[in-house]
Amino acid sequence: MTTTEIRPFRIEIPQAELDDLHSRLANARWPEQLPGDGWSRGVPVEYLRELAEYWRDGFDWRAQEARLNTFPQFVTTIDGIDVHFLHARSGNPDALPLLLTHGWPNSVVQFVELIPQLTERGFDVVVPHVPGFGFSGKPPETGFGVAQVGRMWAELMRRLGYERYGVQGGDLGVYVSQETAKADPDRVVGVHLDSGVGLPTEDLLPELNEEERGLYDQMQQWASLGVDHHMLLRHYPQTMAFGWNDSPIGLLAWLLQKFHEFTFAVPVPDDAIDRDLLLTNISLYWFTQSAGSSSWLMYNSVKFVWPSGQKAAPTGLYSGPPGIRRLAELQNDISQWSTDNPGSGHFIAMEKPEALAADIATFFDSLA
């Protein structure tokens, strides 16, 4: 085996691991509901208990596993770390390849609805698991960062034989997509994002006009709704990982808390995202034991910072507000700033995949 070999991969979770998950769910020790309305104290016991029962008795992992396996999958080793990725070809001989990077706490499951939308529009699609997530290897030491992932993605696309390609992402995917463009400026033709652009840093606050201040206040209001997971994972990722790795109820509660904050326009996450899709993502975290290792971005940081931006390639944004275009253009070459797209959640690929695919296609068609 050469160090650049690309090996076929197929998801096959042993039945013993499924049985163990079901046993742990059946034998969970439930806390009492604390005083307070709705989600004011965290995930409501009644809601989580009903979802846990569905995870045990109604959710069909094997069906979801088969669905994931409809996408050709591979593993290759880059910088000593195994990178697992989906590779869906469109059949279009002139296809523009698109590399999609998922966010946290997500996985390649983020894009299972989006991929067919893109291949039908004539794109080849590559979706890797970021190291530390899913079936990719885990960073072996501290100091691993998004710039290294960007260089790994450039090498992945080189191994696949792509001379030019686009990148897309939201959440963590914004950071990685921008770093990929910086690492591979001669081949990345465009960067399409769905969050994290045009957000004011503290030094820019005095320069905001009245309209921009209103948008900033919206951002602050949203940020105040949830727990600062960056702070928590910066200090105690190992401590939290004991619970996530040993208790599926603990993992379910943690990830549902975050998805609740990321789907702030609806009462519960599965009002915005199909619950089978949510549970597929959570199951993947459980089976790969990656809840702790997936938090490397936070624990390797000193403080939270917005993506730094890049001008190596044009940038398109799915939906402008609450970002501020004037600020986005300080660090990015903005060529598309959509303001009328549907959906207001954080993981738009899971909520509105058709609309996102249309916006992606419009952006990259404009660069042709």
Side-chain angles (χ1 to χ4, degrees):
M1 182 182 73
T2 64
T3 58
T4 60
E5 182 183 8
I6 296 174
R7 295 102 63 189
F9 184 91
R10 184 176 177 82
I11 303 172
E12 294 177 321
I13 300 301
Q15 185 59 42
E17 293 192 25
L18 270 174
D19 294 342
D20 175 67
L21 169 62
H22 293 160
S23 175
R24 290 171 186 256
L25 290 170
N27 293 308
R29 189 172 70 166
W30 290 92
E32 62 183 25
Q33 178 64 54
L34 299 176
D37 296 329
W39 291 67
S40 63
R41 297 293 182 269
V43 185
V45 174
E46 183 178 359
Y47 171 74
L48 196 75
R49 190 161 195 161
E50 188 275 328
L51 193 59
E53 289 173 355
Y54 177 75
W55 193 12
R56 186 186 74 231
D57 296 328
F59 174 72
D60 188 346
W61 165 256
R62 290 302 185 201
Q64 298 303 319
E65 183 181 67
R67 183 187 188 190
L68 290 170
N69 282 329
T70 63
F71 301 110
Q73 297 171 63
F74 305 89
V75 172
T76 190
T77 304
I78 305 175
D79 294 345
I81 300 174
D82 282 349
V83 175
H84 166 256
F85 63 98
L86 316 183
H87 191 189
R89 298 180 185 270
S90 65
N92 174 10
D94 299 317
L96 176 69
L98 294 182
L99 190 155
L100 313 181
T101 302
H102 62 81
W104 177 94
N106 226 312
S107 65
V108 299
V109 173
Q110 180 177 336
F111 298 117
V112 296
E113 300 279 0
L114 181 65
I115 295 170
Q117 296 283 341
L118 292 173
T119 56
E120 288 171 8
R121 287 172 166 81
F123 295 100
D124 288 355
V125 183
V126 179
V127 188
H129 262 131
V130 174
F133 293 76
F135 297 103
S136 282
K138 297 173 171 60
E141 56 190 22
T142 59
F144 188 80
V146 291
Q148 184 173 346
V149 181
R151 293 191 295 270
M152 293 173 73
W153 281 190
E155 171 61 16
L156 173 62
M157 297 304 274
R158 186 195 67 77
R159 290 186 190 182
L160 293 174
Y162 290 128
E163 295 301 320
R164 56 191 300 273
Y165 60 96
V167 293
Q168 200 282 333
D171 191 82
L172 173 59
V174 175
Y175 298 80
V176 174
S177 295
Q178 291 182 342
E179 292 298 332
T180 305
K182 294 176 189 177
D184 207 7
D186 294 333
R187 294 192 299 155
V188 173
V189 300
V191 178
H192 186 279
L193 308 172
D194 52 78
S195 65
V197 178
L199 305 168
T201 52
E202 189 171 337
D203 61 306
L204 293 173
L205 293 181
E207 302 177 12
L208 301 184
N209 61 35
E210 184 176 350
E211 180 184 359
E212 293 170 346
R213 173 60 70 169
L215 291 170
Y216 174 72
D217 289 343
Q218 288 182 34
M219 301 176 210
Q220 292 299 100
Q221 183 179 11
W222 175 75
S224 69
L225 295 176
V227 63
D228 185 350
H229 57 274
H230 287 266
M231 179 69 76
L232 187 155
L233 294 174
R234 190 176 304 125
H235 294 289
Y236 307 120
Q238 187 69 69
T239 300
M240 303 303 294
F242 289 110
W244 298 328
N245 207 62
D246 187 62
S247 168
I249 298 299
L251 178 65
L252 182 66
W254 169 240
L255 295 185
L256 262 294
Q257 177 69 46
K258 298 314 302 180
F259 272 94
H260 174 65
E261 294 165 13
F262 290 145
T263 53
F264 44 84
V266 295
V268 294
D270 42 324
D271 282 350
I273 301 172
D274 178 76
R275 64 166 41 188
D276 279 355
L277 203 60
L278 284 168
L279 287 172
T280 301
N281 183 63
I282 293 167
S283 297
L284 196 149
Y285 272 74
W286 175 259
F287 291 131
T288 60
Q289 301 189 49
S290 54
S293 60
S294 67
S295 62
W296 60 262
L297 176 66
M298 279 71 84
Y299 67 70
N300 278 333
S301 65
V302 176
K303 63 179 182 177
F304 174 76
V305 294
W306 295 114
S308 61
Q310 59 79 37
K311 292 192 175 182
T315 294
L317 197 71
Y318 172 79
S319 182
I324 300 169
R325 181 164 186 168
R326 179 180 67 83
L327 301 184
E329 289 177 336
L330 296 175
Q331 298 175 313
N332 303 274
D333 175 15
I334 303 293
S335 64
Q336 180 170 303
W337 186 268
S338 306
T339 59
D340 58 354
N341 281 315
S344 59
H346 190 59
F347 290 117
I348 204 69
M350 303 175 90
E351 295 187 36
K352 301 289 182 183
E354 186 173 357
L356 178 58
D359 197 78
I360 292 170
T362 298
F363 171 65
F364 284 105
D365 286 349
S366 74
L367 304 180

